[in-house]
C-alpha cells in the first residue's frame, strides 16, 4: 500500500470519509446541483435515488473531481480536494469508481484489465499486480475468467470485472454510478450480490441506483434527490416506506420496487 494512502479506518473518530457542503454545479445556464450538502461516515453505505436529471451522477462525479464544481467544498478524509494545492491523483487512489459503462479494454484479458492500472499508477510488479487481481476477481466470483477477453463475458460478468479492477487499487471507498442500468434484468442480481458483499465486508460506499430493493436491504441511509437538491434523507425504512416529502412519495409510486439480492 502506498505510503500516502490512509485507510478509512484511520480517519479520526467522528470525521466523515466524504464531506460535501453547499455544492453547486452549472453547465452554462443550467444549474444541475443547487447547494447539496452530504456526509458519508467510514463503513457507511449511502444510496442516492431520484429521477433522471436530478443531479445524482453529477454529484458523484464531483466527489472525485471528474467534474469541477462551480461552488462549494468537498473534503475526502479531511482533505480539501478543491484546494489548488491538492494532489488530486493521490486522492483518487483512495476512491474506486464503477460506471454504468464497463469501460474495459477489449484487447486485454480480464487479468490484464485488472493489472494495468496497478502497474502503471501504483508501480506494482507484474507478479504483485497479478496476485492482487486474482484475489479481487475471486472476491467477485470470477476466478475462472482471468484469461477471457471482455467480449466473451456477459454484461454482468463485465461489470463485476470493473468492480474487481477498482478494488485492485486498494480504495478506502467505492462510488457506484447506476452500475446495473445497462444490464439485462436477469444479470442485475449478480452485480448487486457482489456490491452487497462489499458492504458486508465494511467498504464505504456511495451508490447512485434505481434498485430500490438493493437500497432497502443494503443502505445505512437513503438520499432522495430531485431538481439538483437533496429533498429527503434517512434510514431506508423511513425514506422508502414512510417518506415525509410529497416529491419522494410521487417518485416511489412511479418507480415501484424490484426484488434484488
Amino acid at each position: 500500500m502506498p505510503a500516502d494512502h490512509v485507510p478509512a479506518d484511520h480517519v479520526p473518530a467522528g470525521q466523515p470519509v466524504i464531506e460535501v457542503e453547499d455544492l453547486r454545479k452549472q453547465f452554462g445556464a443550467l444549474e444541475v446541483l443547487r447547494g447539496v450538502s452530504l456526509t458519508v461516515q467510514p463503513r457507511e453505505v449511502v444510496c442516492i435515488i431520484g429521477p433522471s436529471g436530478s443531479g445524482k451522477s453529477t454529484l458523484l462525479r464531483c466527489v472525485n473531481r471528474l467534474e469541477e464544481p462551480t461552488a462549494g467544498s468537498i473534503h475526502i478524509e479531511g482533505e480539501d480536494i478543491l484546494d489548488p494545492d491538492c494532489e488530486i491523483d493521490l486522492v483518487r487512489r483512495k476512491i474506486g469508481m464503477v460506471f454504468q459503462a464497463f469501460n474495459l479494454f477489449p484487447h486485454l484479458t480480464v487479468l490484464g484489465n485488472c493489472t494495468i492500472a496497478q502497474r502503471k499508477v501504483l508501480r506494482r510488479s507484474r507478479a504483485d499486480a497479478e496476485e492482487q487481481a486474482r484475489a479481487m476477481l475471486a472476491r467477485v466470483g470470477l476466478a475462472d475468467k482471468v484469461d477471457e477477453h471482455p467480449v466473451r463475458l456477459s454484461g454482468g460478468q463485465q461489470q463485476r470485472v470493473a468492480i474487481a479492477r477498482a478494488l485492485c487499487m486498494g480504495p478506502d471507498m467505492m462510488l457506484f454510478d447506476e452500475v446495473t442500468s445497462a444490464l439485462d434484468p436477469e444479470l442485475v442480481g449478480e452485480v448487486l450480490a457482489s456490491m452487497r458483499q462489499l458492504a458486508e465486508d465494511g467498504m464505504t460506499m456511495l451508490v447512485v441506483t434505481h434498485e430500490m430493493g438493493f437500497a432497502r436491504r443494503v443502505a445505512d441511509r437513503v438520499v432522495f434527490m430531485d431538481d439538483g437538491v437533496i429533498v429527503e434523507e434517512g434510514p431506508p425504512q423511513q425514506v422508502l416506506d414512510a417518506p415525509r416529502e410529497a416529491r419522494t412519495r410521487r417518485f416511489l409510486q412511479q418507480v415501484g420496487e424490484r426484488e434484488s439480492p
Side-chain angles (χ1 to χ4, degrees), residues 5 30 36 50 71 80 87 123 154 173 183 217 228 231 234-235 247:
H5 182 95
L30 179 64
V36 172
D80 179 2
E87 294 190 58
R123 303 297 182 188
S154 71
M173 65 206 77
L183 300 178
R217 291 165 178 80
V231 175
R247 277 196 280 180

Side-chain angles (χ1 to χ4, degrees), residues 46-47 219-224 230 232-240 244:
V46 176
C47 284
D220 297 298
R221 187 156 39 102
V222 172
V223 173
F224 172 66
I230 292 177
E232 182 167 0
E233 64 178 300
Q237 292 76 14
Q238 182 259 301
V239 175
L240 300 178
R244 299 187 182 97

Side-chain angles (χ1 to χ4, degrees), residues 33-258:
L33 297 177
R34 301 188 296 120
V36 172
S37 296
L38 176 71
T39 60
V40 181
Q41 299 295 330
R43 298 178 175 267
E44 188 178 24
V45 178
V46 176
C47 284
I48 304 175
I49 63 172
S52 297
S54 59
K56 307 182 303 296
S57 293
T58 300
L59 170 60
L60 218 63
R61 292 173 64 85
C62 285
V63 167
N64 64 357
R65 273 184 55 192
L66 291 176
E67 295 286 357
E68 290 292 332
T70 305
S73 67
I74 303 171
H75 288 78
I76 300 295
E77 296 183 353
E79 182 171 359
D80 179 2
I81 69 167
L82 301 183
D83 186 318
D85 294 329
C86 172
E87 294 190 58
I88 189 61
D89 287 339
L90 295 182
V91 175
R92 286 189 181 125
R93 294 185 188 182
K94 305 174 183 179
I95 308 170
M97 186 158 184
V98 184
F99 301 87
Q100 179 177 333
F102 316 131
N103 297 325
L104 300 178
F105 293 110
H107 65 289
L108 295 179
T109 64
V110 166
L111 189 65
N113 270 280
C114 290
T115 57
I116 186 169
Q118 294 186 70
R119 296 179 64 198
K120 291 185 176 294
V121 177
L122 302 183
R123 303 297 182 188
R124 285 183 180 149
S125 68
R126 179 186 294 273
D128 287 348
E130 290 188 356
E131 180 181 5
Q132 174 80 338
R134 290 178 187 276
M136 294 304 104
L137 288 164
R139 191 172 177 182
V140 298
L142 293 174
D144 60 336
K145 300 296 183 183
V146 292
D147 295 323
E148 298 284 6
H149 283 78
V151 71
R152 294 179 58 85
L153 303 178
S154 71
Q157 290 170 330
Q158 291 186 59
Q159 193 59 286
R160 284 189 285 155
V161 172
I163 293 172
R165 177 180 58 185
L167 292 174
C168 282
M169 304 298 284
D172 287 353
M173 65 206 77
M174 291 284 287
L175 312 180
F176 294 90
D177 188 10
E178 295 278 21
V179 296
T180 59
S181 295
L183 300 178
D184 293 332
E186 66 271 18
L187 301 177
V188 169
E190 64 189 64
V191 175
L192 295 181
S194 292
M195 293 169 63
R196 184 175 187 176
Q197 185 60 56
L198 283 180
E200 290 174 355
D201 291 344
M203 177 62 75
T204 304
M205 295 166 58
L206 185 57
V207 183
V208 169
T209 185
H210 60 273
E211 299 288 344
M212 299 301 134
F214 175 82
R216 178 186 300 280
R217 291 165 178 80
V218 179
D220 297 298
R221 187 156 39 102
V222 172
V223 173
F224 172 66
M225 287 186 66
D226 191 21
D227 196 25
V229 299
I230 292 177
V231 175
E232 182 167 0
E233 64 178 300
Q237 292 76 14
Q238 182 259 301
V239 175
L240 300 178
D241 294 336
R244 299 187 182 97
E245 302 295 329
R247 277 196 280 180
T248 314
R249 291 195 292 272
R250 284 196 300 270
F251 170 76
L252 292 171
Q253 288 167 359
Q254 290 168 355
V255 299
E257 181 174 329
R258 276 197 313 212

